[in-house]
Amino acid sequence: MTRLMVLGLLKSKPMSGYEIQQLLTKSQTDAWAGILPGSIYHALKKMEKEALVEIDSIEQTGNRSKAIYKITAAGEKEFSQLLVEALQVSSVHLPSQLYTGLSFIHYLEKDEIRQALQNQQLLLEAQLAQQKAGIEVKRNHMPMDEVTEMLFQNVFKQYELQLDLIGNLIRHYES
């Protein structure tokens, strides 16, 4: 996922590793894409060795310098291949840990169940709020096309669907 994301962002414009990291973090893309901040620098170095990206320029700020990377022709080819593969992978990932826990929920006391579910609810609500803040950051940094808007709306619906299940379970165990 990291390679696809980095190559895709570099396809739009040359960027430093720090710029990529900041964009992913501020837009909350790193959360749903599962990209760890340190993996960006590792991916850039590895892809540079593979000639998928190259240094476009070096920017100096005081005593620090940062490399601005751009995608190469080989990188564009790799990006296209990764993109096609990503579109073919199953897009449904069930919350298997939660479902497994629910399979054995009868071994807990009602108070423990309610507390655990309420904690899950609070976590999901916080994550949804972060995702909604992320779309605003992304809108402020770059134009949002229709597909990206649909993507964010789908992410929101996934959280809302899970929150609906948790809410129903809480109500069930309160009665």
Side-chain angles (χ1 to χ4, degrees), residues 8-162:
L9 289 172
L10 292 177
K11 190 164 172 61
S12 68
K13 71 174 191 169
M15 302 171 98
S16 69
Y18 181 75
E19 285 177 284
I20 293 170
Q21 179 185 7
Q22 290 300 299
L23 179 60
L24 294 177
T25 302
K26 287 179 182 176
S27 66
Q28 297 296 310
T29 303
D30 60 336
W32 60 257
I35 297 174
L36 300 173
S39 67
I40 295 164
Y41 296 102
H42 177 72
L44 282 168
K45 291 297 179 193
K46 186 172 182 184
M47 290 188 294
E48 184 180 16
K49 287 179 184 172
E50 296 171 13
L52 301 176
V53 300
E54 63 187 15
I55 295 176
D56 184 49
S57 62
I58 304 284
E59 289 184 1
Q60 291 291 130
T61 50
N63 293 334
R64 301 185 66 137
S65 61
K66 65 178 176 180
I68 307 297
Y69 291 90
K70 68 178 182 178
I71 192 168
T72 64
E76 294 211 20
K77 185 176 178 182
E78 174 79 359
F79 171 72
S80 293
Q81 181 180 339
L82 290 171
L83 185 54
V84 168
E85 289 172 9
L87 294 174
Q88 296 174 8
V89 173
S90 174
S91 61
V92 175
H93 299 282
L94 300 175
S96 57
Q97 189 168 351
L98 174 66
Y99 289 179
T100 301
L102 290 171
S103 298
F104 299 104
I105 201 166
H106 57 278
Y107 288 111
L108 293 175
E109 298 293 325
K110 280 191 176 187
D111 287 341
E112 290 176 297
I113 294 169
R114 280 194 304 273
Q115 185 61 53
L117 291 172
Q118 287 168 346
N119 289 343
Q120 171 75 266
Q121 186 177 43
L122 291 172
L123 175 67
L124 291 172
E125 288 169 345
Q127 290 174 338
L128 177 57
Q130 287 177 331
Q131 290 295 325
K132 288 184 175 183
I135 193 173
E136 292 307 317
V137 169
K138 193 158 188 156
R139 284 181 180 134
N140 292 332
H141 280 80
M142 63 180 57
M144 294 276 287
D145 62 24
E146 190 176 347
V147 172
T148 305
E149 288 284 349
M150 283 190 271
L151 172 71
F152 272 100
Q153 294 308 314
N154 189 60
V155 168
F156 300 158
K157 287 178 186 174
Q158 296 294 323
Y159 277 100
E160 291 161 0
L161 183 64
Q162 201 65 10

